[in-house]
């Protein structure tokens, strides 16, 4: 289940409010709690929104 923390992180990435280092550092804190399907969902969402 994608939590509020993860959704907030996605929004910050989508709006480019993070440096690359901060993006990875933050992701490293919660990625171990995500299922493979959730990680794939996040990846697809970011790919779709960043290409805009």
């Amino acid at each position: 289940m994608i939590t509020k923390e993860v959704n907030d992180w996605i929004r910050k990435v989508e709006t480019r409010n993070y440096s690359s280092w901060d993006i990875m550092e933050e992701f490293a804190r919660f990625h171990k709690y995500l299922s493979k399907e959730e990680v794939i969902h996040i990846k697809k969402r970011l790919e779709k929104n960043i290409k805009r």
Side-chain angles (χ1 to χ4, degrees):
M1 182 165 118
I2 296 179
T3 64
K4 179 186 180 306
E5 178 184 56
V6 176
N7 279 319
D8 290 344
W9 176 84
I10 291 170
R11 275 189 226 102
K12 288 179 184 177
V13 172
E14 289 173 339
T15 59
R16 296 181 172 100
N17 287 342
Y18 268 144
S19 71
S20 297
W21 181 259
D22 290 338
I23 289 170
M24 294 309 296
E25 203 170 72
E26 185 83 19
F27 185 74
R29 286 194 304 134
F30 62 77
H31 84 281
K32 58 188 165 199
Y33 303 110
L34 299 172
S35 69
K36 182 178 179 179
E37 292 80 19
E38 290 168 330
V39 172
I40 291 169
H41 171 75
I42 291 168
K43 179 182 174 194
K44 286 180 182 179
R45 179 174 168 185
L46 291 176
E47 285 175 342
K48 181 181 110 184
N49 290 327
I50 290 178
K51 289 182 181 179
R52 290 183 186 178

